[in-house]
Amino acid sequence: MLVDPSLFTAPYDAALSNGLQANAIRPNWATRALRPMEEDLLAAIPTLPFFYPYTDGPRRRVGSVWRALKGVEHAVGLRRLQREAARFDLVHFQWAALPMLDLRAVRRIRRTRPVILTVHDIEPFNGRPVSAAQRSGYTAILAAFDRLIVHTEQGRDALVARGLREDRVHVVPHGVLPLRAAAPEPRVEPRRWRIVLFGRMQAYKGVDLLVEALGLIDPQVRDRLEVIVAGEVQIPIEPILARARELDLGAAFTVRAGRLSEDAMAGLLRSADAFVFPYRTIDASGVLHLVADLDRWLIASDIGAFRTMIGTGGAAGALVPPADLGALAGAIIDSIGRHPRTGPATDMPDWTQIGALTRTVYEAALADRRPGAVS
């Protein structure tokens, strides 16, 4: 059983499922129900959508009262998960969203079968402000799993430096995610160089840094740019929009707030001339893996998977120090008219290979439970 209660990474979940199936693993998922406009990427995979029946999915609610109720629903979902786990060889979490609650469930499930976690974010919640309930117990829960999966060697080193056992941390790379075949959306001003920052708008993704960097660019050069930030808003966006107006960015900066359909997302991404990732922190980026095959220039912070995939040779894009506004502004200017000579990390494994690597982790965790095994 694989567990992604909030469906944070549905495209990754679907691709991983395909890789596991190619390696004779039968994945089943524990998730929430789908929200409006969400595509059922797991339609062909057995799924139990029992998390958050009243606060998420088609009944999604926001606000402090609903967040508190969602915490109660999370606890109820974990109790159901413990019952369901008895039917499976092992349980593989993708996230530990509420470590204090998750830790108890992990320990109980682990009494009878291995429990694995993929640590998508090496920095807890990528440094964004979260509740005390979410922060508390993060290191303890990492130590509670039989095995941990990370996407990069840097991620592995970071967990080992935190005191986690080296032999229990495995590197399984993130693969390229499929993007729907759709026509690029029409461009109103095709003369402008279109740069897109796509994905859930969260503090660590640096939308505010992007605005400040655009403000450093000469207005005549900026007039050649069309920077679009698109995705579901999970930060206060009005101060960012106010700052863009104060800097008089005009048509050079646009925010498209809200979740896009699969067709609209594909149309926007395929219409881009370049992509920008001004992240403050990251280990692996689903969006980077979504656009990796589009043959577009990439501008990114010199961290995590960006460093691994883009490299320092300038063939696929430009890396800049995180939060260095001058370097980011310069990279944006230099991107105009540029095209990559090679794609990012062309030697990346496919999902069948990723499924095989994941199966190896599963087998190691199961072997630990055999009589006579040394743990």
Side-chain angles (χ1 to χ4, degrees):
M1 171 166 270
L2 295 101
V3 186
D4 185 357
S6 289
L7 274 179
F8 283 140
T9 49
Y12 174 89
D13 298 346
L16 177 61
S17 294
N18 292 335
L20 292 174
Q21 288 177 319
N23 286 275
I25 299 289
R26 296 190 300 276
N28 293 255
W29 284 88
T31 68
R32 60 166 171 78
L34 297 178
R35 300 170 187 166
M37 290 186 65
E38 284 187 332
E39 179 125 342
D40 192 357
L41 297 172
L42 296 172
I45 308 296
T47 304
L48 294 171
F50 56 76
F51 278 96
Y52 319 128
Y54 297 104
T55 59
D56 211 328
R59 300 181 179 184
R60 189 185 187 195
R61 304 288 190 273
V62 296
S64 57
V65 173
W66 293 107
R67 279 197 301 272
L69 179 56
K70 191 171 186 177
V72 174
E73 286 194 299
H74 189 75
V76 173
L78 290 174
R79 292 180 67 87
R80 169 80 181 272
L81 178 65
Q82 292 169 53
R83 297 194 301 270
E84 297 290 347
R87 301 190 290 116
F88 299 94
D89 297 303
L90 56 78
V91 178
H92 181 179
F93 282 73
Q94 298 300 311
W95 302 93
L98 285 173
M100 285 195 306
L101 296 178
D102 295 337
L103 179 58
R104 297 179 64 188
V106 168
R107 285 174 172 167
R108 288 172 178 168
I109 295 170
R110 196 182 176 196
R111 292 172 187 168
T112 57
R113 56 201 19 86
V115 188
I116 293 167
L117 172 68
T118 294
V119 187
H120 291 284
D121 297 335
I122 301 301
E123 175 71 20
F125 305 99
N126 280 317
R128 74 179 187 271
V130 295
S131 67
Q134 288 177 291
R135 290 193 305 271
S136 179
Y138 186 78
T139 300
I141 196 170
L142 293 182
F145 287 91
D146 291 88
R147 302 277 169 156
L148 299 171
I149 292 174
V150 295
H151 295 308
T152 65
E153 291 291 344
Q154 298 99 309
R156 185 174 185 271
D157 292 344
L159 292 190
V160 172
R162 197 174 284 175
L164 294 157
R165 283 179 51 175
E166 186 173 0
D167 62 326
R168 298 302 177 92
V169 184
H170 303 259
V171 178
V172 177
H174 195 307
V176 172
L177 296 173
L179 180 64
R180 177 167 294 188
E185 70 172 36
R187 300 268 292 268
V188 176
E189 293 188 81
R191 70 176 182 83
R192 289 181 179 264
W193 184 252
R194 175 174 282 192
I195 303 175
V196 173
L197 169 56
F198 178 76
R200 293 189 184 97
M201 295 182 215
Q202 302 181 66
Y204 76 89
K205 291 190 175 179
V207 180
D208 57 328
L209 301 176
L210 179 58
V211 167
E212 295 298 334
L214 289 172
L216 297 177
I217 297 175
D218 183 277
Q220 290 187 327
V221 177
R222 204 164 58 217
D223 189 52
R224 300 167 59 191
L225 296 170
E226 180 189 27
V227 178
I228 298 174
V229 178
E232 185 180 359
V233 177
Q234 297 184 332
I235 54 174
I237 195 63
E238 185 51 43
I240 294 175
L241 296 176
R243 181 58 174 158
R245 291 191 294 269
E246 182 181 337
L247 294 171
D248 196 24
L249 299 187
F253 179 77
T254 304
V255 170
R256 299 185 188 179
R259 182 178 179 84
L260 301 181
S261 69
E262 293 293 314
D263 284 335
M265 175 185 70
L268 171 63
L269 297 182
R270 292 184 184 280
S271 74
D273 297 306
F275 296 100
V276 64
F277 303 88
Y279 292 16
R280 290 178 165 89
T281 180
I282 198 68
D283 187 47
S285 165
V287 178
L288 174 61
H289 291 83
L290 189 64
V291 304
D293 278 348
L294 290 183
D295 192 34
R296 303 294 196 274
W297 191 255
L298 304 172
I299 306 162
S301 298
D302 187 11
I303 51 176
F306 300 129
R307 180 183 301 157
T308 304
M309 292 177 62
I310 298 173
T312 57
L319 295 174
V320 299
D324 187 328
L325 300 180
L328 179 58
I332 290 171
I333 295 169
D334 290 343
S335 78
I336 297 174
R338 298 194 69 171
H339 301 278
R341 298 192 302 276
T342 64
T346 53
D347 58 347
M348 191 182 308
D350 62 27
W351 285 100
T352 297
Q353 294 170 307
I354 291 168
L357 292 170
T358 306
R359 179 179 177 126
T360 298
V361 179
Y362 291 175
E363 290 172 343
L366 289 165
D368 289 342
R369 299 300 182 104
R370 295 186 187 124
V374 178
S375 62

